[in-house]
Amino acid sequence: MKDKKNDLKDESLEFADQKIIPVNMEKEVKKSFIEYSMSVIVSRALPDVRDGMKPGARRVLYAMYEDNLTYDKPFRKSATTVGNVLGRYHPHGDSSVYGTMVRMAQPFSLRYPLVEGHGNFGSVDGDPPAAYRYTEARLARLSDEMMRDIDRDTVDFVGNFDNRRREPTVLPSRFPNLLVNGSVGIAVGMATNIPPHNLCEVIDGTICLMDNPNAELSEIMQYIKGPDFPTYGLIYGKNGIVEAYKTGRGHVMMRSRAEVDEENHRIIITEIPYMVIKSDLLKTIAEKVRDKVIEGLTDVRDESGRAGMRIVIEYRRDANGHVILNQLYKYTKLQDTCAINMLALVNGEPKVLPLKAILSEYIKFQEEIITRRTIFDLKKAKERAHILEGYLMALDHIDEVISIIRSSQTDSEASSRLIERFGFTPEQTTAILEMKLRRLTGLERDKIQEELDGLRRAIAYYEDLLAHEEKILGVIKEEMREISKKFGDKRRTEISQVEKDLDVEDLIADEDMVVTITHTGYVKRIPVAAY
């Protein structure tokens, strides 16, 4: 009976065309983990150095562009965009897609938002956005520059997950978006944290490097002075900025903008560091007061409104406001550190890049964009000029052309006879056969000649442009200056030259003391008021 059971058990393991492959568990886990980690690194968490976008964000922008949701069109429900992104390009969680779209619409997250939101898209207090069925969105005006020339063969397209659609591998990004809006991402075994910068400064720095490819970092930093955060605030010291720009890694100390009102015994805060949640900051201050880490505070209240941010911290009359402010810097996120790690994908490979390398990769990419765009325009212009030349030749022999067409039984016969008689190409004969009768007027002939002359000038310009790299760089500079003029603004974050850590003396108030010495040699310190 036992043997029969074993026989049945063995038979149940046998299947038609069964193939058992012995696998080493250690090697299989290692291989699978490497594949997973590379997928996260390349297809999820890290931005591309060329357009500064992660795949999820790129797909959101492209899906909105496909749906013609530009800044000059009406808003549309966010749920529509989320559904389209999921169905066409990004078969992952809807919350991740909506979260990506929300972040691109938040003026306190991106220095220059790429999505324009209508409704509750969260707040600097950490409030979550409304569900996507309630909010509406469309592309921001600046997103036009992310997409400009995408339909002129400037970037490569690949099949989506089911090969029913084509999606871009990168966006043309006519401004250096990686630096302008920065990026935050956690991959497997690596992370990126690139702070946002001022658009005008980054464009000026890029042009500086185009003019002088051997420019030193100090020359570029005359234009790109440092990060420029959407929440304003102050950067304390330049050493961390220089280190980050030189090596790709560094630490920048950020401070709130605070004013001590000694007359009314209060501290007024109007700007806080980037990525600090205001409600959490207030909660931390209250906890430090409760735990007696910071003493002398009587009230903390948030008076922020339409006029902007305003946090009021009141302190006792006998306390020193400057010492309390230093204590707040020391023990709360009124002073915070931004750990810069400029990690991005270069040709699909993650690399930590100094500032000059990021700009160099971007310039190389834009040269490719303008070259491909010019080749596309040149091809179109030559094709159109070829058709117009056929029109003019046909008009010069219009009676004979009409006679051949009328005496032909089919289109193919008419086409072959025209080719044989006048030497037209198949494309020209097709256009001639489809030509409208109004083209036979003298005025129309003049228009055709005028258009042809314009195309010949354009062809000469395109060919000259392709033959001279410096002229391509000139086009890039000119178009970037237009973007800077149109969308640029003043720096928000002030950079202080001073770099000094708070020491113990900064946390102790200056006050007059009486020092007494007893007959037995004991020394005692007492405040004058108490003495």
Side-chain angles (χ1 to χ4, degrees), residues 170-235:
V170 66
L171 299 181
S173 185
R174 304 312 313 283
F175 63 95
N177 183 58
L178 181 65
L179 286 172
V180 168
N181 276 320
S183 186
V184 179
I186 300 172
V188 178
M190 59 187 73
T192 184
N193 188 22
I194 303 172
H197 291 74
N198 184 274
L199 178 67
C200 297
E201 290 183 4
V202 172
I203 287 177
D204 289 344
T206 308
I207 291 172
C208 167
L209 190 60
M210 278 193 272
D211 290 336
N212 179 16
N214 298 317
E216 297 292 330
L217 178 63
S218 56
E219 295 176 59
I220 298 172
M221 284 191 67
Q222 289 178 7
Y223 301 97
I224 305 176
K225 297 176 172 59
D228 189 24
F229 301 112
T231 51
Y232 297 81
L234 293 88
I235 292 176

Side-chain angles (χ1 to χ4, degrees), residues 85-296:
V85 173
L86 292 175
R88 295 176 192 169
Y89 308 115
H90 201 72
H92 302 289
D94 59 339
S95 58
S96 65
V97 172
Y98 185 50
T100 299
M101 189 174 79
V102 163
R103 189 175 187 276
M104 289 194 288
Q106 291 175 332
F108 52 87
S109 292
L110 263 65
R111 181 64 177 82
Y112 299 89
L114 299 173
V115 172
E116 191 178 347
H118 195 197
N120 173 19
F121 275 78
S123 74
V124 75
D125 275 329
D127 299 320
Y132 53 60
R133 60 183 176 274
Y134 299 120
T135 61
E136 297 176 333
R138 64 185 177 193
L139 290 174
R141 194 184 188 101
L142 183 61
S143 290
D144 275 7
E145 304 303 332
M146 290 294 295
M147 299 292 179
R148 198 210 291 188
D149 304 326
I150 198 170
D151 54 351
R152 291 161 77 178
D153 193 34
T154 51
V155 294
D156 292 331
F157 280 70
V158 294
N160 68 338
F161 60 89
D162 60 3
N163 273 325
R164 294 186 181 181
R165 286 178 172 268
R166 308 283 289 170
E167 62 173 312
T169 56
V170 66
L171 299 181
S173 185
R174 304 312 313 283
F175 63 95
N177 183 58
L178 181 65
L179 286 172
V180 168
N181 276 320
S183 186
V184 179
I186 300 172
V188 178
M190 59 187 73
T192 184
N193 188 22
I194 303 172
H197 291 74
N198 184 274
L199 178 67
C200 297
E201 290 183 4
V202 172
I203 287 177
D204 289 344
T206 308
I207 291 172
C208 167
L209 190 60
M210 278 193 272
D211 290 336
N212 179 16
N214 298 317
E216 297 292 330
L217 178 63
S218 56
E219 295 176 59
I220 298 172
M221 284 191 67
Q222 289 178 7
Y223 301 97
I224 305 176
K225 297 176 172 59
D228 189 24
F229 301 112
T231 51
Y232 297 81
L234 293 88
I235 292 176
Y236 220 50
K238 294 195 73 171
N239 291 343
I241 299 172
V242 174
E243 184 66 20
Y245 287 172
K246 190 176 181 181
T247 65
R249 287 193 175 99
H251 290 80
V252 172
M253 187 186 294
M254 305 178 293
R255 271 194 176 183
S256 304
R257 187 176 293 277
E259 179 188 345
V260 179
D261 183 359
E262 294 180 350
E263 187 178 340
N264 295 306
H265 308 288
R266 62 184 183 177
I267 300 166
I268 299 170
I269 298 159
T270 52
E271 300 168 11
I272 61 174
Y274 181 55
M275 300 293 280
V276 171
I277 297 172
K278 178 156 60 76
S279 56
D280 289 350
L281 175 64
L282 296 174
K283 187 178 176 183
T284 304
I285 294 172
E287 287 173 355
K288 297 300 179 186
V289 173
R290 184 195 64 201
D291 298 339
K292 298 192 176 179
V293 175
I294 301 173
E295 295 184 347

